[in-house]
Amino acid sequence: QAWITNQTLLSVAPYTQYIWYAIFLLQGLFIAASFIPSLWSSELLGYHALTDIPTGLEAFQKSIPVVHYPALCASTALSVYSFFQWNIMSLAFAGSFASTYFSFNIIRYQLKHVTISPNYGNSFRKIKRWMQRRRVADEKNTLNESLNGRGDVTNNGVLQYIFLKLPFELYAGYNLGWSVSLLNIIVHKSITSVLFDAVLAYVSLSALLGVGCYMMWKEKKGLCYGVGVGLAWYLFGVFFELVHPSSTVVYTTYSDVDIAAIKYMSVTFAGILVSIVALWAIKHVIKGEKRKRLDEEHDEEEEDDDDVGKFVLHGIASVESGGRRIIDEAGDGVDHVSMVIDDALDEAEEGVERVFDAMGV
């Protein structure tokens, strides 16, 4: 009943609220990340940062996820209960605004502490293959790493994104739209002006599009897909609520022109955000395949270099072996010549003695 009694141009369809199930599930994944050995030490989670700075106010000011998370949960509970149970829109907006603040601060912290660069996994695989080619890997250490969860999972950026970043990005995107909707409800109740409500709705939709485009297009380091998806889901909810309204309040309050304008603005802006998400995803996949191909070519070059090195070493060994044989044979020849000369000198000495004997000397 809360949506029906607080209808504005930016109210969403009731089924749009099902996204909260996905958000809470992702929040559960974030909590579970604290117990996964391959993720709990990540800077995206924040436990590692607590060892470098004092806890308390300084840790809170640095937007560390594990420090901000309790405040995020509390403000979310305040917003939900104030809207659905207490019907206090100002308190619901305060909680929603605080949740948006905490979630975007966490996202900002994570963007500054991305632990996995696009080439990190490839570099790890190069080192691993290099060690395997030279048979340096220790099977015991490999087994221990697998048992402790520090294998290839650590280098899987997708896993870290789903567990550590997507919970806040999706929440921030949808909650931003939720905050704007609550603001429109408060203004609608405070200022009884249909024109002002319509202008505020236009400005709100434009602001949501600007924030979504900025987060996905500008923040290339983090690629905030979740923010765009959350905002797009909210905008689609606005569109379908105007197409199939759950109440006639909007159509009896606002003009058909304003309703049509908000309807097509919301679906157009949602399409723009989804298109940006799709373009970034496709570009990311293409770049990943390109890096993979370059990595394979580099590995082939390294294997060729290894083959050349082995050939050179074999040639050096062959030359060394041949040289030793030549030296040995030359030594044998010298010994043989020395023996021949000694025999010749002995025979010459005996011949001279016979000549002297014949002469009677």
Side-chain angles (χ1 to χ4, degrees):
Q1 298 296 327
W3 283 116
I4 297 177
T5 57
N6 296 284
Q7 285 283 319
T8 65
L9 287 171
L10 296 186
S11 297
V12 296
Y15 55 80
T16 308
Q17 302 301 318
Y18 291 147
I19 194 176
W20 286 109
Y21 292 106
I23 292 174
F24 292 148
L25 176 62
L26 290 173
Q27 298 300 318
L29 293 180
F30 175 78
I31 296 174
S34 301
F35 304 96
I36 299 177
S38 61
L39 295 177
W40 74 268
S41 60
S42 172
E43 289 188 4
L44 298 178
L45 190 59
Y47 286 117
H48 183 270
L50 291 177
T51 61
D52 299 330
I53 63 174
T55 57
L57 180 60
E58 184 176 356
F60 188 82
Q61 291 175 344
K62 287 185 177 296
S63 307
I64 298 175
V66 294
V67 177
H68 272 56
Y69 189 69
L72 177 64
C73 295
S75 57
T76 301
L78 175 64
S79 178
V80 172
Y81 272 92
S82 298
F83 184 84
F84 291 101
Q85 299 294 330
W86 304 331
N87 198 24
I88 304 177
M89 295 300 106
S90 58
L91 193 59
F93 173 74
S96 179
F97 181 81
S99 300
T100 303
Y101 170 78
F102 293 133
S103 59
F104 272 101
N105 273 345
I106 292 174
I107 293 173
R108 183 178 60 181
Y109 172 87
Q110 291 181 339
L111 289 176
K112 293 180 179 179
H113 297 82
V114 175
T115 57
I116 294 181
S117 62
N119 296 323
Y120 180 81
N122 294 333
S123 301
F124 177 81
R125 287 191 293 270
K126 291 178 183 178
I127 297 173
K128 184 177 179 181
R129 284 191 289 268
W130 182 84
M131 294 177 66
Q132 288 176 346
R133 283 197 300 268
R134 287 153 181 80
R135 298 180 180 179
V136 181
D138 189 347
E139 295 181 357
K140 182 177 180 180
N141 292 335
T142 303
L143 178 60
N144 290 334
E145 288 183 358
S146 300
L147 293 175
N148 293 328
R150 294 193 301 269
D152 291 337
V153 178
T154 306
N155 307 293
N156 192 344
V158 176
L159 185 65
Q160 286 204 12
Y161 181 81
I162 294 176
F163 274 78
L164 304 180
K165 297 186 66 179
L166 184 58
F168 300 108
E169 291 182 6
L170 185 64
Y171 179 85
Y174 183 77
N175 194 67
L176 181 61
W178 166 268
S179 300
V180 170
S181 178
L182 293 175
L183 177 62
N184 278 259
I185 293 174
I186 294 174
V187 172
H188 173 69
K189 289 187 173 183
S190 302
I191 304 175
T192 57
S193 173
V194 176
L195 177 61
F196 190 82
D197 289 350
V199 172
L200 181 61
Y202 297 144
V203 174
S204 299
L205 289 180
S206 301
L208 290 177
L209 177 64
V211 173
C213 292
Y214 176 83
M215 291 298 297
M216 290 185 296
W217 196 266
K218 183 68 174 178
E219 298 293 352
K220 297 181 180 179
K221 185 178 180 182
L223 298 177
C224 301
Y225 298 116
V227 175
V229 172
L231 281 173
W233 181 264
Y234 169 79
L235 293 174
F236 278 126
V238 173
F239 171 75
F240 285 109
E241 175 63 17
L242 294 176
V243 173
H244 303 290
S246 56
S247 173
T248 59
V249 174
V250 173
Y251 281 87
T252 58
T253 304
Y254 303 98
S255 65
D256 293 339
V257 176
D258 291 333
I259 293 175
I262 295 298
K263 182 192 305 182
Y264 293 111
M265 282 180 64
S266 61
V267 72
T268 301
F269 291 173
I272 292 174
L273 294 175
V274 171
S275 299
I276 294 176
V277 171
L279 288 174
W280 273 117
I282 294 172
K283 183 178 180 180
H284 186 69
V285 171
I286 293 175
K287 290 179 66 176
E289 291 297 326
K290 183 178 179 181
R291 286 195 299 267
K292 181 179 178 181
R293 186 170 60 253
L294 293 175
D295 188 31
E296 292 176 353
E297 293 177 355
H298 186 269
D299 291 339
E300 292 177 358
E301 293 177 356
E302 289 182 348
E303 291 177 358
D304 293 338
D305 293 340
D306 290 342
D307 293 337
V308 172
K310 292 178 180 178
F311 178 77
V312 171
L313 291 176
H314 179 70
I316 293 174
S318 300
V319 171
E320 183 179 1
S321 177
R324 289 178 179 176
R325 286 198 302 271
I326 293 173
I327 292 173
D328 293 339
E329 293 177 357
D332 294 340
V334 171
D335 293 339
H336 179 69
V337 171
S338 298
M339 292 175 63
V340 171
I341 293 174
D342 291 339
D343 293 339
L345 290 175
D346 293 339
E347 292 178 357
E349 185 178 356
E350 292 176 357
V352 171
E353 290 177 354
R354 286 196 297 271
V355 170
F356 286 157
D357 291 340
M359 295 175 61
V361 178

